[in-house]
Amino acid sequence: MSRTPVAAASEEIAAECLASRARFLDRRLASIYERALRPLGLRRTQLTLLVATARAGERATPTVVGRALQLEKSTVSRELARLQALGWVRVEPSSDGRAQRLSLTAAGARTLEAALPLWRKAQREARALLGDRGAEALAAVTVRLHPRFAG
C-alpha cells in the first residue's frame, strides 16, 4: 500500500526537520539551566542579559546588548525592565541624553557571581546530555554563526 502525499510529507519533516530538533534541544537545555538557577530567583534569559551587560562594560546600551544577543528591541526592553525592577541593572541616560546606559548594580554583580557555580553545574549536566562531541559541535556552529560566542 502506498503512502499518501500528506503521510509522506509529515514523515519526512518529522524525521529530518532541523528546526524541530533545535527547538527540542533548546527545551531540554533550558530546563537544565532554569532548574539550576532557580535558587537565585534567576532565569536563564536574565543571566544572559546580566552577562552581556557586564561584558559590554562602558559600552552597554540596550542596542549593544540586543545586538550581541540578537534579540528584538521589545524583548530587550521588557527583560531590562524586569532586571531593573529586581534591582540588578541600572538604566541611566547617557551623557548626551541620546541613549540609555546600562550597568550592573551591586546586587546584580552579586547575583552574577552567585550564579557562576550554579551555571557550572548546569553546564556539566548539559555537556553530559550532549556528549563531548555534541557540545563541541554546538559550540562550533554558534561561533560560526555569531563570533561573539568565541569568548
Side-chain angles (χ1 to χ4, degrees):
M1 177 188 242
S2 66
R3 295 186 309 174
T4 67
V6 169
S10 64
E11 288 302 317
E12 182 176 337
I13 291 169
E16 299 179 26
C17 184
L18 295 176
S20 293
R21 291 169 189 264
R23 181 72 178 122
F24 173 78
L25 181 59
D26 177 60
R27 286 191 302 268
R28 290 292 304 269
L29 293 174
S31 70
I32 292 169
Y33 289 91
E34 292 288 349
R35 187 174 54 252
L37 298 169
R38 192 170 295 132
L40 297 176
L42 180 65
R43 310 256 340 214
R44 70 186 170 102
T45 52
Q46 294 169 332
L47 177 62
T48 301
L49 281 166
L50 291 176
V51 168
T53 300
R55 287 186 77 195
E58 295 291 321
R59 299 178 309 110
T61 66
T63 300
V64 167
V65 168
R67 282 187 186 144
L69 300 175
Q70 295 190 340
L71 295 174
E72 297 285 330
K73 186 176 182 176
S74 61
T75 301
V76 174
S77 295
R78 182 177 57 252
E79 293 299 327
L80 285 174
R82 289 178 183 153
L83 292 175
Q84 195 173 11
L86 289 165
W88 295 341
V89 169
R90 183 178 303 107
V91 180
E92 299 173 317
S94 64
S95 57
D96 64 9
R98 295 186 327 188
Q100 293 179 318
R101 295 288 172 205
L102 307 176
S103 60
L104 298 186
T105 63
R110 284 191 304 274
T111 299
L112 181 54
E113 291 172 7
L116 183 58
L118 302 176
W119 173 86
R120 285 178 175 154
K121 181 177 183 281
Q123 190 77 349
R124 285 190 301 273
E125 188 177 340
R127 186 175 266 292
L129 176 72
L130 296 174
D132 287 339
R133 286 181 50 194
E136 289 163 9
L138 182 59
V141 168
T142 54
V143 167
R144 183 169 53 82
L145 295 176
H146 196 20
R148 174 189 81 80
F149 287 104

